[in-house]
Amino acid sequence: MKIGNRELEIPVIQGGMGVGVSLSGLAGHVAAFGGVGIISTAQIGFRRPGFSKNPILCNLETIKEEVKKAKDIAGGHGMVGVNIMVVTREYEDYVKAAVDAGADIIISGAGLPMDLPRIIGDKSVLIAPVISSKRALRVILQYWKKHYQKTPDLVVVEGPMAGGHLGFNREELEEYKKNSFDGQLQEILELTEKTGIPVVMAGGVYKREDMMHYMSMGACGVQMATRFVTTYECDADIRYKQAYIDAEKDDIVIVDSPVGMPGRAINNRFLERVRQGERFMKGCRKCITTCDPATTPYCITQALIQAVTGNVDEGLLFCGSNAYKATKLEHVSDIMEEFRV
């Protein structure tokens, strides 16, 4: 897989997973074995002293540290990048921090990254929007060309089977239970074929045959997140990983995120209490622009921190549609070898 002027041994991007699921440990090892390791900047500094009082500053300081650690682990192999959500408060500051840290690529979704080329300026970092429709991609292509004379270095197409926050409403998610997303992907590939922009498919990718299917359609590779959660190298607590291993297919549900988007997660006691109307909102960690602390039932940052640090019954366990397929812990190196082409 070629991105920009970089040729990668294995056509796999490890998807960014916040809060604290994909940090330098996971991203560094994925890069070390020839892929693209991605650090999620979402509340990346939650372990720093003072996070509750100044979360944004803690996050910005931690981006530099985590990128450096990941690159040290990678040892010059693969690529190390970051995932930054467009709806992140002080989004531009996060992008600039990632550029200054030496990230090879910035992947940006949860909104359209219309001004990402302006923010990075003339820096050599690669940029890739995350989109879920041909329409969204066309808007970005036209805007970037008109205002910045720039095209994406890569496009990540995130389908309806992905984990965490989803770029689809509930009706669309129900529709895609019956019908494949392949038709929409093909439309996107036809659009990018004219420009030569490489496309990576994300959402529902778990095994090598999933990757080969999308590459046979014209994608240059895949982005995969859920499969990497149950690795020894993943940065989450072992109890978080075990929740994936213990999950059955029926345990994976669509939830209404407090930030205004549907999401996919593992059902647990916390979600049951939310459905019963309990409210857990205390304080604000200044994460997402679409969150209203006055009305939201719980702080998504706190819920994700609870989960990633091992309190899995009282936290939010985001996951992809295939999380139930995990049966054991495995090493990143074994996964990457499986996906070698």
Side-chain angles (χ1 to χ4, degrees), residues 11-12 207-215 222 339 341:
V12 169
K207 295 183 178 180
R208 176 186 171 85
E209 47 261 44
D210 301 325
M211 178 184 72
M212 299 310 295
H213 168 71
Y214 292 122
M215 291 183 73
V222 292
F339 282 77
V341 294

Side-chain angles (χ1 to χ4, degrees), residues 24 70 75 82 125 147 150 158 167 173 182 189 257 259 276 278 326:
S24 56
V82 297
V125 61
H147 293 276
K150 173 71 176 175
E158 188 170 84
L173 293 172
D182 284 6
L189 288 166
S257 165
V259 302
Q276 291 167 11
E278 289 193 48

Side-chain angles (χ1 to χ4, degrees), residues 176 233 319:
Y176 287 123
E233 295 84 0
C319 71

Side-chain angles (χ1 to χ4, degrees), residues 4 21 37 72 75 86 92 98 104 107 112 116 156 158 176 201 217 242 280 333:
V21 179
D72 287 344
V86 177
E92 288 197 21
D104 296 314
I107 296 176
L112 300 183
L116 186 55
V156 177
E158 188 170 84
Y176 287 123
M201 180 61 194
M217 292 180 63
Q242 190 62 45
F280 304 90
S333 58

Side-chain angles (χ1 to χ4, degrees), residues 99-297:
V99 172
D100 291 343
D104 296 314
I105 184 170
I106 295 173
I107 296 176
S108 194
L112 300 183
M114 304 301 284
D115 294 316
L116 186 55
R118 173 185 61 78
I119 301 170
I120 67 165
D122 60 358
K123 300 299 174 62
S124 60
V125 61
L126 304 178
I127 51 177
V130 181
I131 55 95
S132 295
S133 70
K134 179 181 179 180
R135 178 179 176 276
L137 177 57
R138 183 180 284 118
V139 168
I140 291 175
L141 292 179
Q142 291 174 347
Y143 191 89
W144 283 17
K145 181 178 180 180
K146 178 180 179 180
H147 293 276
Y148 306 116
Q149 296 76 53
K150 173 71 176 175
T151 57
D153 297 292
L154 175 79
V155 169
V156 177
V157 179
E158 188 170 84
M161 307 307 286
H165 290 123
L166 303 167
F168 303 88
N169 60 39
R170 280 183 172 268
E171 291 74 21
E172 289 171 324
L173 293 172
E174 287 297 322
E175 174 64 23
Y176 287 123
K177 281 184 179 179
K178 307 170 188 175
N179 300 304
S180 169
F181 188 71
D182 284 6
Q184 284 70 20
L185 173 60
Q186 194 61 58
E187 290 181 355
I188 293 168
L189 288 166
E190 290 170 1
L191 179 60
T192 57
E193 186 178 14
K194 302 172 184 177
T195 59
I197 302 169
V199 171
V200 162
M201 180 61 194
V205 179
Y206 197 83
K207 295 183 178 180
R208 176 186 171 85
E209 47 261 44
D210 301 325
M211 178 184 72
M212 299 310 295
H213 168 71
Y214 292 122
M215 291 183 73
S216 71
M217 292 180 63
C220 70
V222 292
Q223 178 175 286
M224 182 170 63
T226 293
R227 178 74 183 273
F228 286 112
V229 170
T230 50
T231 59
Y232 293 98
E233 295 84 0
C234 176
D235 297 278
D237 187 274
I238 182 61
R239 289 165 289 186
Y240 189 100
K241 303 173 188 182
Q242 190 62 45
Y244 274 53
I245 294 170
D246 293 340
E248 302 291 341
K249 188 173 184 178
D250 291 343
D251 294 326
I252 300 172
V253 296
I254 301 298
V255 300
D256 293 318
S257 165
V259 302
M261 293 177 275
R264 182 173 278 112
I266 297 174
N267 196 29
N268 61 358
R269 186 170 64 188
F270 172 76
L271 288 178
E272 293 290 349
R273 293 173 68 187
V274 171
R275 281 191 284 268
Q276 291 167 11
E278 289 193 48
R279 193 167 186 271
F280 304 90
M281 189 65 195
K282 293 181 180 179
C284 177
R285 281 76 178 180
K286 298 180 174 61
C287 60
I288 302 296
T289 58
T290 55
C291 178
D292 180 1
T295 59
T296 187

